[in-house]
Amino acid sequence: MNQIFTVTGMTCGHCEKAVTRALQQVDPQAQVQIDRTQNRVQVESTHSREALGKAIAEEGYAVLD
């Protein structure tokens, strides 16, 4: 299932890696694409939107939708 999140607070490559790592801890098979300039995180995963959003938020980033 493809999920798209609007995530604020990502300012660098380290931020992208932290978000990717957090998502892959929930689902090691997750495919993650991040467009930092658009505050967009796209995740292909079988896990719920809630679980994925929670992982991003727990990493310290604001999930707007």
Side-chain angles (χ1 to χ4, degrees):
M1 178 171 21
N2 192 35
Q3 301 284 348
I4 297 174
F5 298 91
T6 301
V7 178
T8 60
M10 296 183 296
T11 59
C12 64
H14 173 77
C15 297
E16 291 179 9
K17 288 179 183 177
V19 169
T20 299
R21 195 169 38 249
L23 290 166
Q24 289 179 336
Q25 285 178 350
V26 173
D27 179 2
Q29 303 303 315
Q31 298 296 313
V32 181
Q33 294 181 350
I34 298 175
D35 183 344
R36 188 171 69 231
T37 62
Q38 298 293 318
N39 296 321
R40 178 182 163 163
V41 176
Q42 182 174 333
V43 185
E44 182 68 33
S45 174
T46 58
H47 285 67
S48 72
R49 181 173 183 82
E50 294 76 22
L52 298 171
K54 182 179 177 184
I56 296 169
E58 286 178 351
E59 197 62 35
Y61 300 95
V63 180
L64 302 181
D65 61 357

